[in-house]
Amino acid sequence: MKKFSKVLSSLLAVTMAGTMLAGCGGTAPAADSSTGTDSGAAAATDSGAASGETVMLKWIQIGSVPQNNDAVVAAMNEYSIDKIGIGVEISYLDWGVWSDKVTAMINSGEYWDIMFTNGDKYTSGIALGAFADLTDLLSEVPDLQAAIPEKVWEGAKVNGKIYSIPTYKDSSQTQYWVWDQAVADQLGIDWQNIHSVDDMDPVLYQVQDAINAGEIQNTQYALTIASDGINGFLMNYESPIPALGVRYDDESAQVVNVFEQDDIMNVLKHMHKWYSDGLINPDAATTDQGPQWCVVSSGQGFPGAEVSWASGRGADVYAEPFAGPIYSTTSILGSVNAISAASKYKSEALKYLEFVNTDETMRNMLAYGIEGVDYTKNDDGTITRSENCYSPATYAQANYFTLYPVSPNAADQWDKVEEWNETAESSVLLGFNFDRSNVETQIANCSLVMDRYKKELYTGTRDPEEAVPALYADLEKAGLEDIRAEYQAQVDAFIASK
């Protein structure tokens, strides 16, 4: 082990020296563009294999190869090998190709040990036998079990078994109204007491009057939106397709036509009224991205997310939840790391995931890189990141609650998020995963129908009292009832098994 540590120390020293000469904004050593694997990790793998004293794992991650990656991976490996005798080679799959590439890797039987995955990719990988059943192995990693709440473990289950380590972060879903602070103060908007569209209605007309009077600049509309309408307005329903679902708090777990429900129809009617009265931009249904700045928007977030929203808008904001927090299978399966069923090192891979989820030094190195190069610590417990520094997809890695908050976020940012998670309700279908295999064709056909309706429906461009019946008539022809029957049968079996 000492000999191997000396080799890694030399590698780290050489790599860091080059990085510091260039500065954090300089070019990192080139990665192998064909695989997305960094050369530093490959060198470490060769050394580990030759020494016979350590295990090197292959971890598939999402995103571009981060700046300064070689030096960071070398530092991570020196630390983890010294502590637990395990290191990694990280292969990054870029955002645009990740989905297709992980499918190809699974289908071809390409070797890997750990893989970031989520949603349907995760459940389909389980169905193909690609991911190891970790249920019994978890007894080997008690610190990892304790670091993740039982509700989150429950949401990660498929058919009652654990096939991945969920990333514990803002794992419950919460939707917010986000207000421009200056406008809210100028008009005396009681933003803390606006939750429903009924609460919002008179305020939007007040904002539009102020815009028309020239009192608010830079926008023509009180509610400027893109084609998805109010972000997250369907979050209270667990759905195989948007038009069908089970409300999260319905103990009877009945599958319903979502757009016909009073709460959703109320949103759609308000949107149409606002659109017709000129409060919504007329091109909403054909706009994929909203403007950088607006008076009010909706977004998924957590306590402290105001800092990021303000940065994105270039102006201070107020934020108030209008739905959630709710733990659902969907919210939890947004980020998990699975271990290959073909891995030679399942126990070691699980031990490594325990380490990155529970060891503060390792977790922050994995997220932020090397202190003094990629970031500096501040006296208040936050960090400041260097320009163009190592910056991977942190959400795809591990537990957030050992992370240093990044300035200008508050030092207690993650404490507040963890406290918020503890208040979350659990969906009645937490832990339920729908097997679509019997209705794949019907789902594909219904999705095509939804694509014809949803943008105009979500943005208020079309009257829901006319559009919703027409939508369901077309969905019926596309196989809606087959999906309903299959979904209800699986939901009933799941509820009976609880």
Side-chain angles (χ1 to χ4, degrees), residues 269-294:
K269 286 181 177 179
H270 272 89
M271 293 294 288
H272 183 59
K273 179 164 77 91
W274 297 337
Y275 181 88
S276 300
D277 289 347
L279 278 64
I280 292 175
N281 49 304
D283 64 346
T286 58
T287 300
D288 292 330
Q289 176 117 16
Q292 179 178 350
W293 182 88
C294 55

mmCIF file of all heavy atoms in Angstrom, residues 269-294:
data_model
loop_
_atom_site.group_PDB
_atom_site.id
_atom_site.type_symbol
_atom_site.label_atom_id
_atom_site.label_comp_id
_atom_site.label_asym_id
_atom_site.label_seq_id
_atom_site.Cartn_x
_atom_site.Cartn_y
_atom_site.Cartn_z
ATOM 1 N N LYS A 269 -58.355 26.297 -16.394
ATOM 2 C CA LYS A 269 -59.327 27.365 -16.659
ATOM 3 C C LYS A 269 -58.738 28.745 -16.361
ATOM 4 O O LYS A 269 -58.963 29.707 -17.119
ATOM 5 C CB LYS A 269 -60.599 27.147 -15.824
ATOM 6 C CG LYS A 269 -61.482 26.019 -16.331
ATOM 7 C CD LYS A 269 -62.729 25.886 -15.465
ATOM 8 C CE LYS A 269 -63.667 24.818 -16.007
ATOM 9 N NZ LYS A 269 -64.878 24.660 -15.158
ATOM 10 N N HIS A 270 -57.999 28.844 -15.259
ATOM 11 C CA HIS A 270 -57.353 30.121 -14.954
ATOM 12 C C HIS A 270 -56.345 30.491 -16.043
ATOM 13 O O HIS A 270 -56.274 31.658 -16.462
ATOM 14 C CB HIS A 270 -56.655 30.054 -13.595
ATOM 15 C CG HIS A 270 -57.535 30.425 -12.448
ATOM 16 N ND1 HIS A 270 -58.312 29.510 -11.780
ATOM 17 C CD2 HIS A 270 -57.771 31.618 -11.843
ATOM 18 C CE1 HIS A 270 -58.989 30.119 -10.815
ATOM 19 N NE2 HIS A 270 -58.673 31.401 -10.825
ATOM 20 N N MET A 271 -55.573 29.509 -16.481
ATOM 21 C CA MET A 271 -54.583 29.783 -17.521
ATOM 22 C C MET A 271 -55.269 30.306 -18.786
ATOM 23 O O MET A 271 -54.787 31.259 -19.424
ATOM 24 C CB MET A 271 -53.786 28.518 -17.837
ATOM 25 C CG MET A 271 -52.897 28.041 -16.699
ATOM 26 S SD MET A 271 -51.554 29.184 -16.305
ATOM 27 C CE MET A 271 -50.490 28.939 -17.717
ATOM 28 N N HIS A 272 -56.390 29.706 -19.152
ATOM 29 C CA HIS A 272 -57.090 30.157 -20.359
ATOM 30 C C HIS A 272 -57.652 31.563 -20.167
ATOM 31 O O HIS A 272 -57.614 32.401 -21.100
ATOM 32 C CB HIS A 272 -58.222 29.181 -20.702
ATOM 33 C CG HIS A 272 -58.943 29.543 -21.966
ATOM 34 N ND1 HIS A 272 -58.320 29.649 -23.180
ATOM 35 C CD2 HIS A 272 -60.275 29.839 -22.193
ATOM 36 C CE1 HIS A 272 -59.205 29.990 -24.114
ATOM 37 N NE2 HIS A 272 -60.393 30.113 -23.536
ATOM 38 N N LYS A 273 -58.177 31.838 -18.992
ATOM 39 C CA LYS A 273 -58.705 33.188 -18.722
ATOM 40 C C LYS A 273 -57.588 34.225 -18.809
ATOM 41 O O LYS A 273 -57.745 35.283 -19.434
ATOM 42 C CB LYS A 273 -59.356 33.216 -17.331
ATOM 43 C CG LYS A 273 -59.918 34.582 -16.930
ATOM 44 C CD LYS A 273 -60.868 34.476 -15.759
ATOM 45 C CE LYS A 273 -60.126 34.289 -14.451
ATOM 46 N NZ LYS A 273 -59.826 35.575 -13.785
ATOM 47 N N TRP A 274 -56.444 33.905 -18.186
ATOM 48 C CA TRP A 274 -55.314 34.844 -18.215
ATOM 49 C C TRP A 274 -54.788 35.033 -19.636
ATOM 50 O O TRP A 274 -54.447 36.145 -20.035
ATOM 51 C CB TRP A 274 -54.189 34.332 -17.308
ATOM 52 C CG TRP A 274 -54.583 34.256 -15.848
ATOM 53 C CD1 TRP A 274 -55.573 34.943 -15.216
ATOM 54 C CD2 TRP A 274 -53.972 33.434 -14.845
ATOM 55 N NE1 TRP A 274 -55.634 34.598 -13.883
ATOM 56 C CE2 TRP A 274 -54.658 33.677 -13.621
ATOM 57 C CE3 TRP A 274 -52.928 32.509 -14.841
ATOM 58 C CZ2 TRP A 274 -54.310 33.028 -12.431
ATOM 59 C CZ3 TRP A 274 -52.573 31.869 -13.659
ATOM 60 C CH2 TRP A 274 -53.269 32.126 -12.474
ATOM 61 N N TYR A 275 -54.756 33.948 -20.395
ATOM 62 C CA TYR A 275 -54.297 34.056 -21.787
ATOM 63 C C TYR A 275 -55.256 34.930 -22.597
ATOM 64 O O TYR A 275 -54.831 35.821 -23.352
ATOM 65 C CB TYR A 275 -54.183 32.655 -22.393
ATOM 66 C CG TYR A 275 -53.695 32.652 -23.824
ATOM 67 C CD1 TYR A 275 -52.333 32.609 -24.118
ATOM 68 C CD2 TYR A 275 -54.607 32.707 -24.886
ATOM 69 C CE1 TYR A 275 -51.876 32.620 -25.428
ATOM 70 C CE2 TYR A 275 -54.164 32.716 -26.205
ATOM 71 C CZ TYR A 275 -52.795 32.669 -26.463
ATOM 72 O OH TYR A 275 -52.352 32.685 -27.765
ATOM 73 N N SER A 276 -56.535 34.670 -22.430
ATOM 74 C CA SER A 276 -57.544 35.413 -23.198
ATOM 75 C C SER A 276 -57.543 36.889 -22.842
ATOM 76 O O SER A 276 -57.831 37.749 -23.693
ATOM 77 C CB SER A 276 -58.942 34.827 -22.946
ATOM 78 O OG SER A 276 -58.989 33.464 -23.346
ATOM 79 N N ASP A 277 -57.204 37.210 -21.599
ATOM 80 C CA ASP A 277 -57.205 38.603 -21.138
ATOM 81 C C ASP A 277 -55.865 39.297 -21.343
ATOM 82 O O ASP A 277 -55.677 40.435 -20.896
ATOM 83 C CB ASP A 277 -57.593 38.665 -19.660
ATOM 84 C CG ASP A 277 -59.073 38.344 -19.433
ATOM 85 O OD1 ASP A 277 -59.830 38.322 -20.423
ATOM 86 O OD2 ASP A 277 -59.461 38.098 -18.271
ATOM 87 N N GLY A 278 -54.924 38.621 -21.987
ATOM 88 C CA GLY A 278 -53.658 39.259 -22.329
ATOM 89 C C GLY A 278 -52.623 39.295 -21.228
ATOM 90 O O GLY A 278 -51.685 40.091 -21.287
ATOM 91 N N LEU A 279 -52.775 38.442 -20.212
ATOM 92 C CA LEU A 279 -51.796 38.399 -19.121
ATOM 93 C C LEU A 279 -50.640 37.449 -19.429
ATOM 94 O O LEU A 279 -49.603 37.490 -18.771
ATOM 95 C CB LEU A 279 -52.467 37.975 -17.809
ATOM 96 C CG LEU A 279 -53.214 39.048 -17.009
ATOM 97 C CD1 LEU A 279 -54.405 39.591 -17.789
ATOM 98 C CD2 LEU A 279 -53.695 38.480 -15.673
ATOM 99 N N ILE A 280 -50.835 36.551 -20.411
ATOM 100 C CA ILE A 280 -49.829 35.568 -20.803
ATOM 101 C C ILE A 280 -49.356 35.895 -22.211
ATOM 102 O O ILE A 280 -50.157 36.268 -23.085
ATOM 103 C CB ILE A 280 -50.414 34.141 -20.746
ATOM 104 C CG1 ILE A 280 -50.691 33.738 -19.293
ATOM 105 C CG2 ILE A 280 -49.471 33.126 -21.403
ATOM 106 C CD1 ILE A 280 -51.379 32.386 -19.135
ATOM 107 N N ASN A 281 -48.070 35.731 -22.446
ATOM 108 C CA ASN A 281 -47.510 35.990 -23.767
ATOM 109 C C ASN A 281 -48.185 35.122 -24.839
ATOM 110 O O ASN A 281 -48.353 33.921 -24.650
ATOM 111 C CB ASN A 281 -46.000 35.746 -23.769
ATOM 112 C CG ASN A 281 -45.596 34.417 -23.145
ATOM 113 O OD1 ASN A 281 -45.938 34.141 -21.996
ATOM 114 N ND2 ASN A 281 -44.864 33.608 -23.883
ATOM 115 N N PRO A 282 -48.593 35.710 -25.961
ATOM 116 C CA PRO A 282 -49.357 34.970 -26.969
ATOM 117 C C PRO A 282 -48.580 33.859 -27.661
ATOM 118 O O PRO A 282 -49.189 32.953 -28.245
ATOM 119 C CB PRO A 282 -49.770 36.054 -27.977
ATOM 120 C CG PRO A 282 -48.848 37.190 -27.737
ATOM 121 C CD PRO A 282 -48.491 37.144 -26.287
ATOM 122 N N ASP A 283 -47.245 33.891 -27.597
ATOM 123 C CA ASP A 283 -46.445 32.848 -28.235
ATOM 124 C C ASP A 283 -46.062 31.729 -27.262
ATOM 125 O O ASP A 283 -45.186 30.910 -27.555
ATOM 126 C CB ASP A 283 -45.171 33.447 -28.840
ATOM 127 C CG ASP A 283 -44.239 34.048 -27.782
ATOM 128 O OD1 ASP A 283 -44.679 34.240 -26.621
ATOM 129 O OD2 ASP A 283 -43.070 34.329 -28.110
ATOM 130 N N ALA A 284 -46.727 31.642 -26.110
ATOM 131 C CA ALA A 284 -46.337 30.692 -25.063
ATOM 132 C C ALA A 284 -46.289 29.252 -25.580
ATOM 133 O O ALA A 284 -45.357 28.499 -25.274
ATOM 134 C CB ALA A 284 -47.290 30.794 -23.876
ATOM 135 N N ALA A 285 -47.267 28.849 -26.356
ATOM 136 C CA ALA A 285 -47.359 27.452 -26.798
ATOM 137 C C ALA A 285 -46.254 27.063 -27.764
ATOM 138 O O ALA A 285 -45.994 25.873 -27.963
ATOM 139 C CB ALA A 285 -48.718 27.196 -27.443
ATOM 140 N N THR A 286 -45.588 28.047 -28.359
ATOM 141 C CA THR A 286 -44.504 27.753 -29.307
ATOM 142 C C THR A 286 -43.139 28.165 -28.770
ATOM 143 O O THR A 286 -42.159 28.176 -29.518
ATOM 144 C CB THR A 286 -44.766 28.473 -30.640
ATOM 145 O OG1 THR A 286 -44.873 29.886 -30.417
ATOM 146 C CG2 THR A 286 -46.045 27.964 -31.283
ATOM 147 N N THR A 287 -43.076 28.475 -27.481
ATOM 148 C CA THR A 287 -41.817 28.911 -26.861
ATOM 149 C C THR A 287 -41.283 27.815 -25.952
ATOM 150 O O THR A 287 -41.969 27.395 -25.013
ATOM 151 C CB THR A 287 -42.043 30.203 -26.039
ATOM 152 O OG1 THR A 287 -42.522 31.228 -26.909
ATOM 153 C CG2 THR A 287 -40.759 30.648 -25.370
ATOM 154 N N ASP A 288 -40.089 27.337 -26.228
ATOM 155 C CA ASP A 288 -39.517 26.252 -25.433
ATOM 156 C C ASP A 288 -38.841 26.746 -24.160
ATOM 157 O O ASP A 288 -38.706 25.996 -23.199
ATOM 158 C CB ASP A 288 -38.498 25.457 -26.262
ATOM 159 C CG ASP A 288 -39.163 24.685 -27.388
ATOM 160 O OD1 ASP A 288 -40.341 24.295 -27.215
ATOM 161 O OD2 ASP A 288 -38.527 24.488 -28.439
ATOM 162 N N GLN A 289 -38.413 28.003 -24.136
ATOM 163 C CA GLN A 289 -37.702 28.536 -22.972
ATOM 164 C C GLN A 289 -38.212 29.923 -22.656
ATOM 165 O O GLN A 289 -38.327 30.773 -23.547
ATOM 166 C CB GLN A 289 -36.204 28.591 -23.280
ATOM 167 C CG GLN A 289 -35.387 29.209 -22.169
ATOM 168 C CD GLN A 289 -34.394 28.240 -21.558
ATOM 169 O OE1 GLN A 289 -34.095 27.204 -22.122
ATOM 170 N NE2 GLN A 289 -33.890 28.594 -20.409
ATOM 171 N N GLY A 290 -38.531 30.164 -21.401
ATOM 172 C CA GLY A 290 -38.990 31.481 -20.993
ATOM 173 C C GLY A 290 -37.841 32.475 -20.907
ATOM 174 O O GLY A 290 -36.665 32.108 -21.050
ATOM 175 N N PRO A 291 -38.145 33.763 -20.670
ATOM 176 C CA PRO A 291 -37.103 34.785 -20.591
ATOM 177 C C PRO A 291 -36.279 34.650 -19.313
ATOM 178 O O PRO A 291 -36.703 34.009 -18.352
ATOM 179 C CB PRO A 291 -37.903 36.085 -20.590
ATOM 180 C CG PRO A 291 -39.205 35.712 -19.940
ATOM 181 C CD PRO A 291 -39.486 34.306 -20.408
ATOM 182 N N GLN A 292 -35.103 35.264 -19.303
ATOM 183 C CA GLN A 292 -34.257 35.226 -18.109
ATOM 184 C C GLN A 292 -34.944 35.938 -16.946
ATOM 185 O O GLN A 292 -34.918 35.461 -15.810
ATOM 186 C CB GLN A 292 -32.909 35.881 -18.398
ATOM 187 C CG GLN A 292 -31.973 35.915 -17.187
ATOM 188 C CD GLN A 292 -30.620 36.531 -17.502
ATOM 189 O OE1 GLN A 292 -30.299 36.767 -18.656
ATOM 190 N NE2 GLN A 292 -29.835 36.801 -16.481
ATOM 191 N N TRP A 293 -35.563 37.079 -17.226
ATOM 192 C CA TRP A 293 -36.231 37.846 -16.169
ATOM 193 C C TRP A 293 -37.738 37.877 -16.418
ATOM 194 O O TRP A 293 -38.192 37.999 -17.557
ATOM 195 C CB TRP A 293 -35.717 39.280 -16.121
ATOM 196 C CG TRP A 293 -36.360 40.083 -15.007
ATOM 197 C CD1 TRP A 293 -35.939 40.193 -13.719
ATOM 198 C CD2 TRP A 293 -37.570 40.848 -15.103
ATOM 199 N NE1 TRP A 293 -36.811 40.983 -13.005
ATOM 200 C CE2 TRP A 293 -37.825 41.397 -13.825
ATOM 201 C CE3 TRP A 293 -38.473 41.102 -16.132
ATOM 202 C CZ2 TRP A 293 -38.922 42.196 -13.559
ATOM 203 C CZ3 TRP A 293 -39.587 41.898 -15.866
ATOM 204 C CH2 TRP A 293 -39.799 42.449 -14.588
ATOM 205 N N CYS A 294 -38.515 37.753 -15.360
ATOM 206 C CA CYS A 294 -39.966 37.926 -15.436
ATOM 207 C C CYS A 294 -40.461 38.330 -14.056
ATOM 208 O O CYS A 294 -39.716 38.268 -13.070
ATOM 209 C CB CYS A 294 -40.657 36.650 -15.913
ATOM 210 S SG CYS A 294 -40.267 35.190 -14.927
#
